[in-house]
Amino acid sequence: MSSSAANLNTAKPELSRRTALLGALGLLALPGAGFTATPSDAGVWPRPLPVPGGVARLPLGPSAQRPVAHQGEQPLLVVGDMIAWTALVGIPLAAAPGEASISVRTPEDGLRQISYRIAPKRYSEQHLKVSPRTVDLSPEDLARHQRERAHQETVMATFSQPLPATLRMRVPVPGRQSSSFGLRRVFNGQARNPHSGMDIAAGTGTPVVAPLPGRVIDVGDYFFNGGTVWLDHGGGLLSMYCHLSAIDAQTGEVLPAGARLGAVGATGRVTGPHLHWGVMLNRTMVDPALFLA
Ligand SMILES: [Zn+2]
């Protein structure tokens, strides 16, 4: 069996195969037992959105072992069970809409390619005129930023076990959530990197909590991001918290969901207090909103 064409038609048979197997294993709830074993899209995290900055969910079919999947060189998070595996693919904001593919290896089928389509999405654009001082870095600041970026690259390459038990995140801080993920900013006519996270408005000192269990893999005070904590949730799913006024976690510490990791602030290059929250999958910043209930 190969490619996505075959997978498009397998949704129903897979459900009934799952039902039959769960029944055979005694895992299927009896009618009236208070819950149902029927999967539904409403309970799926992250929500599928195959656009630049979104996440594609690619069905891989059954296999006795968890398939090994890659996008280019980058390992992918594969979730599910031996009846139906799914690869979760973070799609870069810079990706061109159109055909894309991943490679998948299973003991049964060997190595195969699975193709999918990246749909177009138009993000809004913001033109700002600002004092050149605020966009042109001094040689010292530029050197600092380059050192910090090299360090962050090594942090972003983290791909660890165990895989996350759930992908449904709670909000790291209560507050108004901006919809500015993907916003293309142009300062004085120069295009900057698009906004790659969610900004949540909250006052300085408001506690920031882990949205999922995770290991602290980096803390620091960075030129652009200010006080920053990185969490590793396993399987290449990372999250980042920036502009913190306080950091209450140490590298290596394992936090349960809901544990305080720091407090909202206005450190780094910002105009006011807020949390910048980034979610990274297969080394790609994706829209955090897709992981929220
Ligand atoms: Zn931001």
Side-chain angles (χ1 to χ4, degrees), residues 178 180 185 195-200 243 270 274-277:
S178 80
S180 62
R185 289 176 292 195
H195 188 236
S196 61
M198 175 190 281
D199 289 340
I200 304 179
H243 314 310
V270 284
H274 69 277
L275 176 70
H276 174 97
W277 177 31

Side-chain angles (χ1 to χ4, degrees), residues 212-225:
L212 279 183
R215 179 186 296 273
V216 180
I217 50 169
D218 192 59
V219 302
D221 180 13
Y222 297 112
F223 180 74
F224 282 106
N225 293 343

Side-chain angles (χ1 to χ4, degrees), residues 14-30 35-39 81-84:
E14 251 164 37
L15 289 192
S16 48
R17 239 192 352 263
R18 173 191 296 276
T19 305
L21 194 89
L22 292 178
L25 294 172
L27 298 176
L28 194 62
L30 293 171
F35 63 96
T36 163
T38 308
D81 54 38
M82 58 193 290
I83 306 160

Side-chain angles (χ1 to χ4, degrees), residues 68-281:
V68 175
H70 286 84
Q71 170 106 77
E73 301 277 286
Q74 204 55 40
L76 297 172
L77 177 56
V78 174
V79 298
D81 54 38
M82 58 193 290
I83 306 160
W85 298 102
T86 302
L88 302 179
V89 187
I91 304 170
L93 273 165
E99 197 83 1
S101 69
I102 65 169
S103 67
V104 179
R105 186 184 288 279
T106 57
E108 296 87 353
D109 295 324
L111 185 67
R112 63 196 165 121
Q113 300 287 316
I114 290 189
S115 57
Y116 66 102
R117 273 200 87 72
I118 301 174
K121 172 154 181 166
R122 214 176 159 72
Y123 290 103
S124 46
E125 200 171 275
Q126 188 180 46
H127 287 261
L128 295 171
K129 264 213 134 15
V130 293
S131 138
R133 249 197 76 247
T134 62
V135 285
D136 297 332
L137 300 188
S138 70
E140 298 78 38
D141 288 344
L142 187 63
R144 177 184 168 189
H145 170 55
Q146 281 164 348
R147 275 197 312 276
E148 291 178 353
R149 199 170 54 183
H151 169 70
Q152 301 272 304
E153 288 292 330
T154 66
V155 172
M156 292 177 198
T158 305
F159 190 98
S160 74
Q161 309 279 345
L163 302 182
T166 172
L167 299 170
R168 178 186 178 173
M169 296 188 181
R170 60 178 79 189
V171 287
V173 69
R176 189 178 51 79
Q177 296 165 9
S178 80
S179 57
S180 62
F181 179 86
L183 177 71
R184 288 150 48 193
R185 289 176 292 195
V186 183
F187 288 167
N188 301 348
Q190 287 178 26
R192 298 279 144 166
N193 287 335
H195 188 236
S196 61
M198 175 190 281
D199 289 340
I200 304 179
T204 295
T206 310
V208 176
V209 304
L212 279 183
R215 179 186 296 273
V216 180
I217 50 169
D218 192 59
V219 302
D221 180 13
Y222 297 112
F223 180 74
F224 282 106
N225 293 343
T228 298
V229 172
W230 279 88
L231 296 183
D232 169 23
H233 307 292
L237 179 65
L238 313 178
S239 60
M240 174 177 79
Y241 307 83
C242 302
H243 314 310
L244 302 175
S245 60
I247 292 176
D248 306 313
Q250 291 179 354
T251 302
E253 203 177 331
V254 176
L255 302 179
R260 177 177 165 138
L261 58 85
V264 173
T267 54
R269 285 269 176 138
V270 284
T271 51
H274 69 277
L275 176 70
H276 174 97
W277 177 31
V279 171
M280 182 166 258
L281 191 59

